[in-house]
PDB file of all heavy atoms in Angstrom:
ATOM      1  N   SER A  26     -25.069 -60.080  -5.798  1.00  0.00           N
ATOM      2  CA  SER A  26     -24.232 -58.955  -5.321  1.00  0.00           C
ATOM      3  C   SER A  26     -23.599 -59.254  -3.984  1.00  0.00           C
ATOM      4  O   SER A  26     -22.493 -58.807  -3.754  1.00  0.00           O
ATOM      5  CB  SER A  26     -25.137 -57.670  -5.303  1.00  0.00           C
ATOM      6  OG  SER A  26     -26.140 -57.843  -4.423  1.00  0.00           O
ATOM      7  N   LEU A  27     -24.329 -59.950  -3.159  1.00  0.00           N
ATOM      8  CA  LEU A  27     -23.708 -60.254  -1.844  1.00  0.00           C
ATOM      9  C   LEU A  27     -22.612 -61.241  -2.026  1.00  0.00           C
ATOM     10  O   LEU A  27     -21.504 -61.084  -1.350  1.00  0.00           O
ATOM     11  CB  LEU A  27     -24.763 -60.908  -0.921  1.00  0.00           C
ATOM     12  CG  LEU A  27     -25.834 -59.899  -0.282  1.00  0.00           C
ATOM     13  CD1 LEU A  27     -26.876 -60.626   0.484  1.00  0.00           C
ATOM     14  CD2 LEU A  27     -25.182 -58.933   0.579  1.00  0.00           C
ATOM     15  N   VAL A  28     -22.698 -62.280  -2.900  1.00  0.00           N
ATOM     16  CA  VAL A  28     -21.662 -63.260  -3.176  1.00  0.00           C
ATOM     17  C   VAL A  28     -20.405 -62.551  -3.711  1.00  0.00           C
ATOM     18  O   VAL A  28     -19.322 -62.758  -3.352  1.00  0.00           O
ATOM     19  CB  VAL A  28     -22.182 -64.354  -4.039  1.00  0.00           C
ATOM     20  CG1 VAL A  28     -21.001 -65.252  -4.512  1.00  0.00           C
ATOM     21  CG2 VAL A  28     -23.217 -65.200  -3.302  1.00  0.00           C
ATOM     22  N   LEU A  29     -20.662 -61.706  -4.764  1.00  0.00           N
ATOM     23  CA  LEU A  29     -19.565 -61.049  -5.374  1.00  0.00           C
ATOM     24  C   LEU A  29     -18.910 -60.113  -4.472  1.00  0.00           C
ATOM     25  O   LEU A  29     -17.625 -59.989  -4.475  1.00  0.00           O
ATOM     26  CB  LEU A  29     -20.006 -60.326  -6.646  1.00  0.00           C
ATOM     27  CG  LEU A  29     -20.445 -61.200  -7.799  1.00  0.00           C
ATOM     28  CD1 LEU A  29     -20.959 -60.368  -8.958  1.00  0.00           C
ATOM     29  CD2 LEU A  29     -19.280 -62.105  -8.282  1.00  0.00           C
ATOM     30  N   GLY A  30     -19.629 -59.344  -3.592  1.00  0.00           N
ATOM     31  CA  GLY A  30     -19.037 -58.518  -2.583  1.00  0.00           C
ATOM     32  C   GLY A  30     -18.196 -59.236  -1.657  1.00  0.00           C
ATOM     33  O   GLY A  30     -17.144 -58.803  -1.221  1.00  0.00           O
ATOM     34  N   THR A  31     -18.637 -60.397  -1.171  1.00  0.00           N
ATOM     35  CA  THR A  31     -17.846 -61.228  -0.235  1.00  0.00           C
ATOM     36  C   THR A  31     -16.638 -61.771  -0.925  1.00  0.00           C
ATOM     37  O   THR A  31     -15.524 -61.715  -0.292  1.00  0.00           O
ATOM     38  CB  THR A  31     -18.747 -62.420   0.264  1.00  0.00           C
ATOM     39  OG1 THR A  31     -19.982 -61.847   0.739  1.00  0.00           O
ATOM     40  CG2 THR A  31     -18.056 -63.107   1.352  1.00  0.00           C
ATOM     41  N   VAL A  32     -16.703 -62.248  -2.126  1.00  0.00           N
ATOM     42  CA  VAL A  32     -15.542 -62.720  -2.843  1.00  0.00           C
ATOM     43  C   VAL A  32     -14.530 -61.562  -3.035  1.00  0.00           C
ATOM     44  O   VAL A  32     -13.300 -61.828  -2.860  1.00  0.00           O
ATOM     45  CB  VAL A  32     -15.952 -63.379  -4.173  1.00  0.00           C
ATOM     46  CG1 VAL A  32     -14.736 -63.669  -5.067  1.00  0.00           C
ATOM     47  CG2 VAL A  32     -16.776 -64.525  -3.951  1.00  0.00           C
ATOM     48  N   GLY A  33     -14.976 -60.428  -3.361  1.00  0.00           N
ATOM     49  CA  GLY A  33     -14.038 -59.298  -3.540  1.00  0.00           C
ATOM     50  C   GLY A  33     -13.328 -59.008  -2.268  1.00  0.00           C
ATOM     51  O   GLY A  33     -12.208 -58.544  -2.276  1.00  0.00           O
ATOM     52  N   CYS A  34     -14.015 -59.121  -1.060  1.00  0.00           N
ATOM     53  CA  CYS A  34     -13.380 -58.808   0.157  1.00  0.00           C
ATOM     54  C   CYS A  34     -12.315 -59.922   0.480  1.00  0.00           C
ATOM     55  O   CYS A  34     -11.363 -59.555   1.284  1.00  0.00           O
ATOM     56  CB  CYS A  34     -14.373 -58.761   1.338  1.00  0.00           C
ATOM     57  SG  CYS A  34     -15.425 -57.313   1.136  1.00  0.00           S
ATOM     58  N   LEU A  35     -12.415 -61.059  -0.063  1.00  0.00           N
ATOM     59  CA  LEU A  35     -11.499 -62.167   0.269  1.00  0.00           C
ATOM     60  C   LEU A  35     -10.291 -62.178  -0.687  1.00  0.00           C
ATOM     61  O   LEU A  35      -9.463 -62.977  -0.548  1.00  0.00           O
ATOM     62  CB  LEU A  35     -12.198 -63.491   0.271  1.00  0.00           C
ATOM     63  CG  LEU A  35     -13.351 -63.608   1.314  1.00  0.00           C
ATOM     64  CD1 LEU A  35     -14.020 -65.004   1.058  1.00  0.00           C
ATOM     65  CD2 LEU A  35     -12.878 -63.485   2.733  1.00  0.00           C
ATOM     66  N   ALA A  36     -10.209 -61.260  -1.626  1.00  0.00           N
ATOM     67  CA  ALA A  36      -9.188 -61.222  -2.638  1.00  0.00           C
ATOM     68  C   ALA A  36      -7.868 -60.968  -1.898  1.00  0.00           C
ATOM     69  O   ALA A  36      -7.809 -60.161  -0.939  1.00  0.00           O
ATOM     70  CB  ALA A  36      -9.404 -60.217  -3.688  1.00  0.00           C
ATOM     71  N   PRO A  37      -6.767 -61.677  -2.285  1.00  0.00           N
ATOM     72  CA  PRO A  37      -5.505 -61.398  -1.584  1.00  0.00           C
ATOM     73  C   PRO A  37      -4.983 -59.932  -1.887  1.00  0.00           C
ATOM     74  O   PRO A  37      -5.248 -59.333  -2.944  1.00  0.00           O
ATOM     75  CB  PRO A  37      -4.590 -62.417  -2.284  1.00  0.00           C
ATOM     76  CG  PRO A  37      -5.168 -62.734  -3.627  1.00  0.00           C
ATOM     77  CD  PRO A  37      -6.675 -62.576  -3.384  1.00  0.00           C
ATOM     78  N   ILE A  38      -4.316 -59.400  -0.856  1.00  0.00           N
ATOM     79  CA  ILE A  38      -3.789 -58.036  -0.920  1.00  0.00           C
ATOM     80  C   ILE A  38      -2.375 -58.169  -1.475  1.00  0.00           C
ATOM     81  O   ILE A  38      -1.550 -58.956  -0.891  1.00  0.00           O
ATOM     82  CB  ILE A  38      -3.802 -57.400   0.468  1.00  0.00           C
ATOM     83  CG1 ILE A  38      -5.313 -57.275   0.937  1.00  0.00           C
ATOM     84  CG2 ILE A  38      -3.125 -56.012   0.457  1.00  0.00           C
ATOM     85  CD1 ILE A  38      -5.394 -56.759   2.351  1.00  0.00           C
ATOM     86  N   PRO A  39      -2.038 -57.427  -2.448  1.00  0.00           N
ATOM     87  CA  PRO A  39      -0.632 -57.590  -2.977  1.00  0.00           C
ATOM     88  C   PRO A  39       0.407 -57.107  -1.887  1.00  0.00           C
ATOM     89  O   PRO A  39       0.162 -56.198  -1.171  1.00  0.00           O
ATOM     90  CB  PRO A  39      -0.543 -56.709  -4.198  1.00  0.00           C
ATOM     91  CG  PRO A  39      -1.767 -55.796  -4.088  1.00  0.00           C
ATOM     92  CD  PRO A  39      -2.726 -56.507  -3.201  1.00  0.00           C
ATOM     93  N   ASN A  40       1.610 -57.702  -1.929  1.00  0.00           N
ATOM     94  CA  ASN A  40       2.701 -57.325  -1.060  1.00  0.00           C
ATOM     95  C   ASN A  40       3.366 -56.067  -1.480  1.00  0.00           C
ATOM     96  O   ASN A  40       3.894 -56.027  -2.606  1.00  0.00           O
ATOM     97  CB  ASN A  40       3.708 -58.461  -0.941  1.00  0.00           C
ATOM     98  CG  ASN A  40       4.794 -58.243   0.048  1.00  0.00           C
ATOM     99  OD1 ASN A  40       4.663 -57.180   0.801  1.00  0.00           O
ATOM    100  ND2 ASN A  40       5.739 -59.088   0.164  1.00  0.00           N
ATOM    101  N   THR A  41       3.242 -55.009  -0.785  1.00  0.00           N
ATOM    102  CA  THR A  41       3.844 -53.715  -1.108  1.00  0.00           C
ATOM    103  C   THR A  41       5.032 -53.353  -0.213  1.00  0.00           C
ATOM    104  O   THR A  41       5.450 -52.215  -0.244  1.00  0.00           O
ATOM    105  CB  THR A  41       2.823 -52.599  -0.991  1.00  0.00           C
ATOM    106  OG1 THR A  41       2.320 -52.576   0.334  1.00  0.00           O
ATOM    107  CG2 THR A  41       1.643 -52.804  -1.998  1.00  0.00           C
ATOM    108  N   THR A  42       5.504 -54.302   0.585  1.00  0.00           N
ATOM    109  CA  THR A  42       6.660 -53.966   1.460  1.00  0.00           C
ATOM    110  C   THR A  42       7.924 -54.032   0.615  1.00  0.00           C
ATOM    111  O   THR A  42       8.039 -54.724  -0.408  1.00  0.00           O
ATOM    112  CB  THR A  42       6.769 -54.997   2.605  1.00  0.00           C
ATOM    113  OG1 THR A  42       6.869 -56.317   2.060  1.00  0.00           O
ATOM    114  CG2 THR A  42       5.537 -54.908   3.494  1.00  0.00           C
ATOM    115  N   ALA A  43       8.918 -53.384   1.090  1.00  0.00           N
ATOM    116  CA  ALA A  43      10.210 -53.357   0.431  1.00  0.00           C
ATOM    117  C   ALA A  43      10.918 -54.759   0.519  1.00  0.00           C
ATOM    118  O   ALA A  43      10.677 -55.430   1.495  1.00  0.00           O
ATOM    119  CB  ALA A  43      11.128 -52.297   1.026  1.00  0.00           C
ATOM    120  N   PRO A  44      11.633 -55.155  -0.518  1.00  0.00           N
ATOM    121  CA  PRO A  44      12.336 -56.429  -0.465  1.00  0.00           C
ATOM    122  C   PRO A  44      13.245 -56.486   0.729  1.00  0.00           C
ATOM    123  O   PRO A  44      13.882 -55.535   1.057  1.00  0.00           O
ATOM    124  CB  PRO A  44      13.062 -56.512  -1.722  1.00  0.00           C
ATOM    125  CG  PRO A  44      13.183 -55.121  -2.266  1.00  0.00           C
ATOM    126  CD  PRO A  44      11.999 -54.396  -1.672  1.00  0.00           C
ATOM    127  N   SER A  45      13.343 -57.619   1.439  1.00  0.00           N
ATOM    128  CA  SER A  45      14.156 -57.772   2.556  1.00  0.00           C
ATOM    129  C   SER A  45      15.591 -58.103   2.082  1.00  0.00           C
ATOM    130  O   SER A  45      15.780 -58.656   1.059  1.00  0.00           O
ATOM    131  CB  SER A  45      13.596 -58.891   3.419  1.00  0.00           C
ATOM    132  OG  SER A  45      13.613 -60.042   2.783  1.00  0.00           O
ATOM    133  N   ILE A  46      16.588 -57.670   2.972  1.00  0.00           N
ATOM    134  CA  ILE A  46      17.962 -57.866   2.704  1.00  0.00           C
ATOM    135  C   ILE A  46      18.316 -59.197   3.452  1.00  0.00           C
ATOM    136  O   ILE A  46      18.037 -59.390   4.550  1.00  0.00           O
ATOM    137  CB  ILE A  46      18.831 -56.754   3.239  1.00  0.00           C
ATOM    138  CG1 ILE A  46      18.375 -55.421   2.576  1.00  0.00           C
ATOM    139  CG2 ILE A  46      20.297 -57.021   3.038  1.00  0.00           C
ATOM    140  CD1 ILE A  46      19.013 -54.159   3.139  1.00  0.00           C
ATOM    141  N   PRO A  47      18.964 -60.144   2.654  1.00  0.00           N
ATOM    142  CA  PRO A  47      19.375 -61.304   3.289  1.00  0.00           C
ATOM    143  C   PRO A  47      20.307 -61.064   4.557  1.00  0.00           C
ATOM    144  O   PRO A  47      21.035 -60.055   4.553  1.00  0.00           O
ATOM    145  CB  PRO A  47      20.230 -62.063   2.157  1.00  0.00           C
ATOM    146  CG  PRO A  47      19.722 -61.446   0.972  1.00  0.00           C
ATOM    147  CD  PRO A  47      19.347 -60.050   1.245  1.00  0.00           C
ATOM    148  N   GLN A  48      20.238 -61.860   5.556  1.00  0.00           N
ATOM    149  CA  GLN A  48      20.977 -61.670   6.808  1.00  0.00           C
ATOM    150  C   GLN A  48      22.461 -61.589   6.656  1.00  0.00           C
ATOM    151  O   GLN A  48      23.173 -60.889   7.425  1.00  0.00           O
ATOM    152  CB  GLN A  48      20.576 -62.719   7.819  1.00  0.00           C
ATOM    153  CG  GLN A  48      19.130 -62.511   8.239  1.00  0.00           C
ATOM    154  CD  GLN A  48      18.851 -63.433   9.451  1.00  0.00           C
ATOM    155  OE1 GLN A  48      19.662 -64.271   9.881  1.00  0.00           O
ATOM    156  NE2 GLN A  48      17.580 -63.361   9.923  1.00  0.00           N
ATOM    157  N   ASN A  49      23.011 -62.219   5.620  1.00  0.00           N
ATOM    158  CA  ASN A  49      24.497 -62.210   5.433  1.00  0.00           C
ATOM    159  C   ASN A  49      24.895 -61.058   4.716  1.00  0.00           C
ATOM    160  O   ASN A  49      26.165 -60.896   4.501  1.00  0.00           O
ATOM    161  CB  ASN A  49      24.943 -63.541   4.852  1.00  0.00           C
ATOM    162  CG  ASN A  49      24.297 -63.692   3.417  1.00  0.00           C
ATOM    163  OD1 ASN A  49      23.472 -62.976   3.030  1.00  0.00           O
ATOM    164  ND2 ASN A  49      24.848 -64.761   2.704  1.00  0.00           N
ATOM    165  N   GLN A  50      24.027 -60.105   4.284  1.00  0.00           N
ATOM    166  CA  GLN A  50      24.398 -58.869   3.558  1.00  0.00           C
ATOM    167  C   GLN A  50      24.035 -57.629   4.326  1.00  0.00           C
ATOM    168  O   GLN A  50      23.106 -57.699   5.155  1.00  0.00           O
ATOM    169  CB  GLN A  50      23.737 -58.768   2.213  1.00  0.00           C
ATOM    170  CG  GLN A  50      24.244 -59.745   1.148  1.00  0.00           C
ATOM    171  CD  GLN A  50      23.607 -59.529  -0.176  1.00  0.00           C
ATOM    172  OE1 GLN A  50      22.648 -58.778  -0.270  1.00  0.00           O
ATOM    173  NE2 GLN A  50      24.070 -60.225  -1.189  1.00  0.00           N
ATOM    174  N   THR A  51      24.809 -56.570   4.188  1.00  0.00           N
ATOM    175  CA  THR A  51      24.493 -55.328   4.795  1.00  0.00           C
ATOM    176  C   THR A  51      24.041 -54.318   3.743  1.00  0.00           C
ATOM    177  O   THR A  51      24.481 -54.456   2.648  1.00  0.00           O
ATOM    178  CB  THR A  51      25.658 -54.719   5.567  1.00  0.00           C
ATOM    179  OG1 THR A  51      26.782 -54.572   4.609  1.00  0.00           O
ATOM    180  CG2 THR A  51      26.106 -55.605   6.754  1.00  0.00           C
ATOM    181  N   PRO A  52      23.231 -53.386   4.037  1.00  0.00           N
ATOM    182  CA  PRO A  52      22.662 -52.432   3.013  1.00  0.00           C
ATOM    183  C   PRO A  52      23.895 -51.617   2.551  1.00  0.00           C
ATOM    184  O   PRO A  52      24.674 -51.254   3.389  1.00  0.00           O
ATOM    185  CB  PRO A  52      21.641 -51.616   3.727  1.00  0.00           C
ATOM    186  CG  PRO A  52      21.747 -51.908   5.200  1.00  0.00           C
ATOM    187  CD  PRO A  52      22.521 -53.203   5.324  1.00  0.00           C
ATOM    188  N   ALA A  53      23.784 -51.238   1.250  1.00  0.00           N
ATOM    189  CA  ALA A  53      24.864 -50.345   0.747  1.00  0.00           C
ATOM    190  C   ALA A  53      24.734 -48.958   1.277  1.00  0.00           C
ATOM    191  O   ALA A  53      23.676 -48.452   1.432  1.00  0.00           O
ATOM    192  CB  ALA A  53      24.733 -50.303  -0.812  1.00  0.00           C
ATOM    193  N   THR A  54      25.831 -48.391   1.656  1.00  0.00           N
ATOM    194  CA  THR A  54      25.840 -46.976   2.195  1.00  0.00           C
ATOM    195  C   THR A  54      26.723 -46.162   1.263  1.00  0.00           C
ATOM    196  O   THR A  54      27.598 -46.692   0.634  1.00  0.00           O
ATOM    197  CB  THR A  54      26.342 -46.982   3.630  1.00  0.00           C
ATOM    198  OG1 THR A  54      27.716 -47.453   3.607  1.00  0.00           O
ATOM    199  CG2 THR A  54      25.553 -47.711   4.525  1.00  0.00           C
ATOM    200  N   THR A  55      26.300 -44.867   1.245  1.00  0.00           N
ATOM    201  CA  THR A  55      27.193 -43.949   0.459  1.00  0.00           C
ATOM    202  C   THR A  55      27.905 -43.099   1.355  1.00  0.00           C
ATOM    203  O   THR A  55      27.378 -42.554   2.337  1.00  0.00           O
ATOM    204  CB  THR A  55      26.281 -43.091  -0.419  1.00  0.00           C
ATOM    205  OG1 THR A  55      25.332 -42.376   0.282  1.00  0.00           O
ATOM    206  CG2 THR A  55      25.496 -43.920  -1.539  1.00  0.00           C
ATOM    207  N   THR A  56      29.188 -42.818   1.031  1.00  0.00           N
ATOM    208  CA  THR A  56      30.021 -41.971   1.893  1.00  0.00           C
ATOM    209  C   THR A  56      30.129 -40.590   1.150  1.00  0.00           C
ATOM    210  O   THR A  56      30.249 -40.643  -0.085  1.00  0.00           O
ATOM    211  CB  THR A  56      31.324 -42.585   2.099  1.00  0.00           C
ATOM    212  OG1 THR A  56      31.975 -42.814   0.864  1.00  0.00           O
ATOM    213  CG2 THR A  56      31.213 -43.861   2.939  1.00  0.00           C
ATOM    214  N   PRO A  57      30.025 -39.546   1.835  1.00  0.00           N
ATOM    215  CA  PRO A  57      30.253 -38.235   1.162  1.00  0.00           C
ATOM    216  C   PRO A  57      31.659 -38.153   0.608  1.00  0.00           C
ATOM    217  O   PRO A  57      32.572 -38.671   1.115  1.00  0.00           O
ATOM    218  CB  PRO A  57      29.986 -37.227   2.245  1.00  0.00           C
ATOM    219  CG  PRO A  57      30.058 -37.948   3.544  1.00  0.00           C
ATOM    220  CD  PRO A  57      29.847 -39.394   3.257  1.00  0.00           C
ATOM    221  N   LYS A  58      31.697 -37.510  -0.521  1.00  0.00           N
ATOM    222  CA  LYS A  58      33.036 -37.417  -1.261  1.00  0.00           C
ATOM    223  C   LYS A  58      33.907 -36.434  -0.499  1.00  0.00           C
ATOM    224  O   LYS A  58      35.112 -36.609  -0.483  1.00  0.00           O
ATOM    225  CB  LYS A  58      32.761 -36.891  -2.680  1.00  0.00           C
ATOM    226  CG  LYS A  58      32.030 -37.908  -3.484  1.00  0.00           C
ATOM    227  CD  LYS A  58      31.981 -37.518  -4.913  1.00  0.00           C
ATOM    228  CE  LYS A  58      31.101 -38.269  -5.839  1.00  0.00           C
ATOM    229  NZ  LYS A  58      31.240 -39.676  -6.038  1.00  0.00           N
ATOM    230  N   GLU A  59      33.317 -35.454   0.134  1.00  0.00           N
ATOM    231  CA  GLU A  59      34.123 -34.459   0.896  1.00  0.00           C
ATOM    232  C   GLU A  59      33.556 -34.386   2.354  1.00  0.00           C
ATOM    233  O   GLU A  59      32.321 -34.376   2.444  1.00  0.00           O
ATOM    234  CB  GLU A  59      34.121 -33.081   0.251  1.00  0.00           C
ATOM    235  CG  GLU A  59      34.743 -32.968  -1.056  1.00  0.00           C
ATOM    236  CD  GLU A  59      34.720 -31.566  -1.681  1.00  0.00           C
ATOM    237  OE1 GLU A  59      34.542 -30.606  -0.865  1.00  0.00           O
ATOM    238  OE2 GLU A  59      34.792 -31.450  -2.910  1.00  0.00           O
TER     239      GLU A  59
END
């Protein structure tokens, strides 16, 4: 149980951050119609 608990703590954390925008692109913006 100690070994399995330690292995579980070392498991990688999935990346939940938003995808990054490449530097040569700007984020899309919406302009109001009126």
